[in-house]
Amino acid sequence: MAKQRIKKIAVLTGGGDCPGLNAVIRAVTKTAINRHKLDVWGVEDGYEGLIEDRIHPLSYNDVSNILTVGGTILGSSNTSNPFSYPVQSGKRVVNKDVSDDCIQNLEKRGIEALVCIGGDGTMCSAAAFAKKGLTIMGVPKTIDNDIWGTDITFGFNTAVTTATEAIDKVHTTASSHHRVMIVEVMGRYAGWIALHAGTAGGSDVILIPEIPYELDKIADFVRARSKKGKRFSIITVAEGAKPKGGKQVIFKKIKNSPDPVRLGGISFVLAEQIGQMTGLSCRAVNLGHVQRGGSPTPIDRVLGTNFGYHALELLMKGRVNRLVVWKDGKLDDVPLSRIAGKIKTVRKNDPLVAAAKAVGTSFGV
Ligand code: F6P
């Protein structure tokens, strides 16, 4: 149990943004003000604002009318790790642990607990702050749906909806031009978006990191479709997909990011290779950050509201340093220390993989 009743909290959004963040900020702030009469502060731009002392009060009005708005009213950053932060030292830039400065920035305002809304990078730092004695509540966000311990993250449903709409649109032009259209979706090292959007959009081939593909098998599959009179094919590929024994396509590396690798570009590689192997006309489209934008779907608004409310209720009960999760159809929570450094990937025997195979989808193997 918490030793004394908490009166002041802060909230931050870290890592890549996603639709539904504002729903959580709103739920945290309104629950804190309405039910518990707390003072709420907002940290700007994730851990960057905590390090640079950019923390301001959040009022009821600040969080009104934001439920349907994408992005985050607080701003976010995915390159600021308080435990290894670049600082100028003479002529050199060295990485320093500035976590004590962050804690001081909260303490000097009397802030007693921090709600961290973020993905696995944000949760790693959150777990490290909890170890140092800061009271933390974690809320899992990401379009990638790859956070260990929760069946679902908010942002995922919106990203899948956006990607599915794109796959639907690509269908008509693929059909008119008798083409192979390759649609690349995000997801980092997990194939959740590709699996779900690919299935929802009726893709002929779905390629995910968890099932390394064989190029020959993909070429044979689209050739066979063509021979059967199906003169177009749709391939949905996760940015992290890779050939058997091969590597992922890296777009760039970003210094000081908890995970410096940015994937991207596999669809263009595949379009070239499949075009050469089959003689068919191939085109690639990378949906990129479009998947992170727009208004959250009702499912993400509801999940975000549930998560934000639940985080506050747990905090006020003294059940702290935990991540709120959605597990087996209900709200639950897991210790932050247990999830840090792990990711949740698609199992080869996931029921949706089996269902997709049953309706004739190839996974390129
Ligand atoms: O984690 C969310 C995500 O959109 C991934 O799907 C993608 O790999 C990455 O972030 C892109 O990061 P950035 O916004 O730094 O390009």
Side-chain angles (χ1 to χ4, degrees):
M1 292 293 284
K3 289 187 195 82
Q4 61 185 50
R5 194 183 168 278
I6 285 170
K7 295 190 196 72
K8 236 181 229 190
I9 64 164
V11 53
L12 67 75
T13 50
D17 72 339
C18 76
L21 282 166
N22 284 329
V24 184
I25 297 169
R26 169 182 176 270
V28 165
T29 307
K30 289 194 168 181
T31 306
I33 295 173
N34 285 345
R35 275 176 63 82
H36 304 290
K37 315 283 175 246
L38 306 186
D39 267 357
V40 186
W41 293 65
V43 182
E44 292 171 23
D45 301 336
Y47 290 125
E48 196 175 291
L50 197 57
I51 296 164
E52 295 175 357
D53 202 16
R54 290 187 279 116
I55 306 170
H56 59 257
L58 264 187
S59 71
Y60 199 89
N61 275 349
D62 290 332
V63 298
S64 285
N65 283 326
I66 63 168
L67 177 63
T68 62
V69 182
T72 159
I73 59 159
L74 293 173
S76 193
S77 149
N78 58 5
T79 51
S80 306
N81 177 359
F83 295 86
S84 176
Y85 189 68
V87 289
Q88 199 71 37
S89 165
K91 285 193 176 145
R92 287 186 325 129
V93 173
V94 290
N95 277 39
K96 240 182 95 183
D97 179 348
V98 294
S99 57
D100 285 337
D101 301 345
C102 295
I103 293 175
Q104 269 169 32
N105 290 338
L106 294 172
E107 280 178 353
K108 72 183 181 197
R109 293 177 172 89
I111 296 167
E112 300 148 290
L114 181 63
V115 179
C116 295
I117 311 168
D120 63 334
T122 306
M123 292 313 148
C124 272
S125 297
F129 273 124
K131 226 172 165 184
K132 290 187 80 142
L134 199 62
T135 298
I136 301 277
M137 284 312 304
V139 181
K141 71 85 232 197
T142 171
I143 62 164
D144 305 332
N145 195 33
D146 62 350
I147 299 186
W148 191 88
T150 185
D151 291 342
I152 194 99
T153 53
F154 65 89
F156 174 64
N157 184 263
T158 308
V160 167
T161 303
T162 301
T164 304
E165 280 168 6
I167 295 166
D168 289 349
K169 287 189 172 152
V170 152
H171 252 97
T172 53
T173 176
S175 164
S176 310
H177 288 272
H178 318 302
R179 275 183 173 149
V180 178
M181 290 292 306
I182 303 160
V183 182
E184 178 172 335
V185 298
M186 282 184 162
R188 289 201 316 167
Y189 308 107
W192 296 108
I193 300 177
L195 177 61
H196 282 250
T199 305
S203 296
D204 307 297
V205 181
I206 298 175
L207 304 175
I208 59 175
E210 296 86 345
I211 306 178
Y213 60 81
E214 291 166 62
L215 207 47
D216 287 352
K217 298 274 167 61
I218 305 171
D220 288 349
F221 190 84
V222 293
R223 255 194 235 109
R225 272 179 59 80
S226 198
K227 276 197 192 130
K228 274 193 285 181
K230 300 267 185 194
R231 295 184 62 203
F232 73 95
S233 291
I234 306 289
I235 301 178
T236 297
V237 60
E239 62 180 358
K242 57 183 179 209
K244 226 178 195 172
K247 290 196 176 122
Q248 283 157 331
V249 178
I250 293 176
F251 165 59
K252 61 155 73 177
K253 291 197 177 173
I254 305 199
K255 265 171 97 185
N256 297 317
S257 179
D259 177 3
V261 173
R262 293 295 179 276
L263 299 165
I266 179 78
S267 53
F268 296 95
V269 173
L270 283 171
E272 203 51 41
Q273 292 172 329
I274 296 168
Q276 275 179 19
M277 289 170 84
T278 61
L280 295 167
S281 171
C282 296
R283 292 289 187 273
V285 55
N286 185 354
L287 301 184
H289 291 80
V290 168
Q291 295 157 96
R292 293 231 303 252
S295 179
T297 57
I299 286 180
D300 282 337
R301 295 178 200 181
V302 170
L303 190 59
T305 303
N306 262 325
F307 275 170
Y309 158 74
H310 192 54
L312 246 285
E313 293 306 291
L314 291 179
L315 177 66
M316 297 316 285
K317 282 184 192 144
R319 195 169 164 84
V320 299
N321 301 335
R322 316 213 30 115
L323 179 79
V324 300
V325 297
W326 186 261
K327 197 80 199 149
D328 301 329
K330 59 181 174 54
L331 284 165
D332 204 344
D333 54 278
V334 292
L336 272 175
S337 55
R338 252 184 52 209
I339 65 129
K342 297 183 195 156
I343 66 164
K344 179 189 70 188
T345 52
V346 177
R347 282 177 291 114
K348 288 193 179 70
N349 63 352
D350 187 284
L352 189 53
V353 173
K357 281 182 182 166
V359 297
T361 310
S362 163
F363 282 80
V365 287

